[in-house]
Amino acid sequence: MFDNPYIQQRLHKAEQLRAHALNPYENRAQRSLSNAQFLQTFSALEAGQKETTSTYALVGRVKFIRLMGKACFIKIEDQSALLQVYLSQNDLGKEAFDIFKKCVEVGDILNVVGYPFVTKTKELSLHALCFKVLTKAIVPLPEKFHGLSDIELRYRQRSMDLIANPEVKEVFVRRSAIVACVRAFFEQKGFLEVETPMMHPIAGGANARPFITYHNALEVERYLRIAPELYLKRLIVGGFEAVFEINRNFRNEGMDHSHNPEFTMLEFYWAYKTYEDLIALTKELFSTLLEHLGLPTKLAYGDVEIDFEAFSCVPFKQALVEIGGVRSEALEDANTLRAFLEKQGVEVGGVLSYAHLLAQAFDALVEPKLINPTFITHYPIELSPLARRNDTDPNIADRFELFIAGKEIANGFSELNDPLDQYQRFEEQVKAKESGDEEAQFMDTDYVWALGLGMPPTAGQGIGIDRLVMLLTNAKSIKDVIFFPAMKPLKSNQSE
């Protein structure tokens, strides 16, 4: 594992430190200020000035070394900032300075103690009086001028990516701020944050293919959850009126730039509300996020501009005609729709129901065109097994999906709370599964029984956190906003 010649050289230098009774993997560090605090505190110093009345201990990873005989400049980086440090034989003593020159390399983590001064080139720096190696890095960092640019390697070696590409850290700092803002938003609205099971006896809450595991003690199969929906609605039945959860879902499906097999979802359920209330709340959430993050209402994403002041609502079939260019007469039945799609070059596949053909048409012809925030409403009831039927037209659901920049960001609806209707819907899903639909839902009699206790009129919604972060950080791939995305194993490392 460590037979690389460059690693061997670094291991030798670690042994040299030990030979001088210095531990290359120290346990204790001194720290007076972060690098950013140091730079801010002494920002008023001018070229040639120094402040020697006090000394300060700082820490950081060495990112640059420039040796100049009996002195050198280095740059160390902590989470907050990059800081220049000056070291000289006059201050450190010959033995310590020789140890530095022989043993310290880019990548090592140091503790330095000294005072602030400003160089002739006007760079605020630390004049070191002593140093200590805290951690000897034995794996070399990428070449400093080019960083780590190999996309696959960046995702597989995220630690190195974060060290070599500081801008990557900013994406994840922004992600944390987004999640914190979302959490605060719902708490301020009176929602209670809850946690529900990750392992389910029945895979439910969404149409998706699950991961299957085995519980040894119970001697039963369990499914990694594809959605927390049915458990969260049980809480509404139990008397909670507003709940939310931010947590992982798992779906055993394909991967692309906007899909990862495990992903983070926000789901929330609100008693005595309808899907129209959710639409209003979602608009308010985006307004709050943009304000909190200091982002403009017109936001660049790739080659397009998203106008967050231009929300619109379009019914599903109307969107097919007006946005997707589907002729009205092509929507009459499954056969005419299939013929139209095939003529348009849309790959339809095997036998599909009319509703699923509509979904294929929407995915191919409408979704990529939805750049500004668009709520698509009134989905076919067959595509919405957990949503409430519309009072006027029982063939459509009181449901919407929110699309931004050609991606689905949210799915919400007025919840089905009629236990008999729900039981029938599950039966239809079971028939679909028996006919070969691997994503159809299972029968969940326990959930139907819970509905029998009485669930108040309720609206519920899910928002994909990863895709939300992609939008607000201008990230092209979901792998750019997940610390450790799923990757196909390398042949040399099948356990990855």
Side-chain angles (χ1 to χ4, degrees):
M1 182 176 182
F2 295 131
D3 55 357
N4 180 294
Y6 296 105
I7 292 177
Q8 287 296 315
Q9 291 175 13
R10 287 174 171 257
L11 287 169
H12 176 67
K13 292 179 180 182
E15 289 305 315
Q16 286 183 300
L17 288 170
R18 290 190 176 98
H20 288 88
L22 300 172
N23 186 351
Y25 300 100
E26 271 284 353
N27 184 43
R28 298 184 184 277
Q30 290 180 290
R31 194 181 204 182
S32 308
L33 301 168
S34 71
N35 290 355
Q37 289 171 331
F38 179 90
L39 292 169
Q40 182 178 6
T41 300
F42 301 104
S43 59
L45 290 180
E46 297 179 354
Q49 285 189 314
K50 57 186 177 181
E51 176 58 67
T52 60
T53 55
S54 299
T55 58
Y56 301 89
L58 289 89
V59 297
R61 186 184 298 275
V62 178
K63 300 298 290 287
F64 171 82
I65 298 178
R66 180 158 61 98
L67 287 167
M68 304 173 298
K70 296 181 180 181
C72 73
F73 281 100
I74 67 172
K75 292 194 175 182
I76 62 172
E77 185 177 51
D78 66 1
Q79 183 176 329
S80 67
L82 189 69
L83 175 69
Q84 181 167 272
V85 179
Y86 172 76
L87 304 98
S88 72
Q89 182 173 302
N90 289 341
D91 298 298
L92 302 179
K94 186 176 186 308
E95 181 180 2
F97 191 70
D98 284 345
I99 290 172
F100 179 89
K101 289 194 296 182
K102 291 178 182 178
C103 301
V104 175
E105 299 169 280
V106 169
D108 296 348
I109 299 173
L110 301 186
N111 209 154
V112 288
V113 179
Y115 58 83
F117 80 108
V118 179
T119 65
K120 293 179 181 179
T121 57
K122 300 182 180 180
E123 183 168 357
L124 177 58
S125 309
L126 181 78
H127 188 125
L129 301 176
C130 62
F131 79 94
K132 179 169 64 173
V133 176
L134 296 177
T135 303
K136 179 65 186 174
I138 62 171
V139 176
L141 295 182
E143 199 275 328
K144 63 180 180 297
F145 294 109
H146 300 99
L148 185 63
S149 57
D150 184 293
I151 296 296
E152 287 290 312
L153 185 58
R154 284 183 51 226
Y155 297 147
R156 293 181 188 277
Q157 300 288 339
R158 185 64 87 185
S159 298
M160 185 177 288
D161 182 32
L162 293 167
I163 293 170
N165 301 315
E167 68 277 7
V168 174
K169 288 181 183 176
E170 294 306 311
V171 172
F172 290 101
V173 169
R174 175 62 59 91
R175 178 186 176 114
S176 181
I178 290 168
V179 173
C181 182
V182 169
R183 177 172 280 114
F185 177 86
F186 282 95
E187 288 176 343
Q188 289 166 6
K189 293 290 183 183
F191 284 74
L192 178 71
E193 183 171 13
V194 298
E195 294 177 326
T196 59
M198 287 289 187
M199 293 193 297
H200 293 184
I202 297 173
N207 286 37
R209 187 176 179 180
F211 287 93
I212 304 174
T213 187
Y214 187 80
H215 195 298
N216 289 331
L218 297 177
E219 298 182 336
V220 292
E221 284 188 339
R222 284 289 183 261
Y223 301 91
L224 294 184
R225 80 172 182 193
I226 56 176
E229 177 171 342
L230 302 186
Y231 284 92
L232 291 170
K233 288 193 284 193
R234 284 174 170 92
L235 298 182
I236 299 294
V237 171
F240 290 102
E241 295 184 2
V243 296
F244 77 98
E245 181 172 8
I246 301 174
N247 222 323
R248 291 291 208 189
N249 289 349
F250 306 85
R251 298 184 183 178
N252 196 0
E253 301 171 341
M255 298 188 299
D256 57 30
H257 70 283
S258 60
H259 292 86
N260 194 66
E262 57 175 310
F263 56 97
T264 303
M265 281 289 292
L266 158 72
E267 287 209 19
F268 57 96
Y269 294 82
W270 206 4
Y272 308 107
K273 301 294 181 179
T274 68
Y275 79 101
E276 290 100 335
D277 296 309
L278 297 183
I279 288 175
L281 186 72
T282 303
K283 292 179 181 179
E284 185 180 351
L285 173 61
F286 272 94
S287 177
T288 300
L289 279 166
L290 294 175
E291 181 179 359
H292 178 75
L293 299 170
L295 295 174
T297 55
K298 291 185 177 180
L299 193 64
Y301 183 76
D303 298 329
V304 301
E305 183 180 74
I306 304 165
D307 187 352
F308 283 97
E309 292 183 333
F311 279 89
S312 62
C313 289
V314 185
F316 183 86
K317 283 194 173 181
Q318 181 180 327
L320 285 171
V321 174
E322 296 181 357
I323 301 173
V326 180
R327 298 195 309 271
S328 298
E329 56 269 25
L331 298 176
E332 291 179 359
D333 56 47
N335 291 332
T336 54
L337 180 56
R338 177 182 286 275
F340 175 83
L341 292 176
E342 289 175 348
K343 190 174 181 180
Q344 297 296 313
V346 177
E347 292 187 14
V348 175
V351 178
L352 294 176
S353 68
Y354 175 58
H356 283 89
L357 283 170
L358 288 172
Q360 291 270 18
F362 183 90
D363 292 346
L365 304 176
V366 180
E367 183 172 339
K369 300 176 183 178
L370 302 177
I371 304 304
N372 287 332
T374 306
F375 294 98
I376 300 296
T377 62
H378 298 149
Y379 276 73
I381 199 70
E382 185 181 340
L383 302 178
S384 314
L386 299 169
R388 185 180 187 279
R389 294 180 188 271
N390 181 267
D391 287 335
T392 303
D393 184 351
N395 293 312
I396 61 175
D398 286 343
R399 173 189 173 193
F400 69 83
E401 286 188 327
L402 171 63
F403 294 88
I404 307 176
K407 296 182 180 66
E408 178 198 343
I409 301 298
N411 180 25
F413 41 82
S414 296
E415 300 294 339
L416 174 59
N417 61 349
D418 179 342
L420 298 182
D421 191 357
Q422 183 64 81
Y423 186 79
Q424 183 181 357
R425 304 265 199 102
F426 277 147
E427 285 188 322
E428 292 168 356
Q429 289 287 300
V430 170
K431 290 177 183 176
K433 185 174 286 293
E434 291 172 348
S435 299
D437 186 350
E438 293 181 338
E439 295 186 354
Q441 297 190 37
F442 293 90
M443 171 63 72
D444 191 337
T445 55
D446 182 78
Y447 173 68
V448 175
W449 185 263
L451 285 186
L453 295 171
M455 184 173 78
T458 298
Q461 182 174 340
I463 297 177
I465 293 295
D466 306 302
R467 293 188 186 179
L468 179 63
V469 176
M470 287 175 65
L471 276 179
L472 299 180
T473 61
N474 197 12
K476 305 300 182 295
S477 170
I478 196 170
K479 293 179 180 179
D480 291 325
V481 300
I482 296 176
F483 271 126
F484 304 103
M487 302 290 291
K488 186 176 181 179
L490 298 172
K491 290 182 180 179
S492 60
N493 184 12
Q494 292 298 318
S495 64
E496 184 178 338

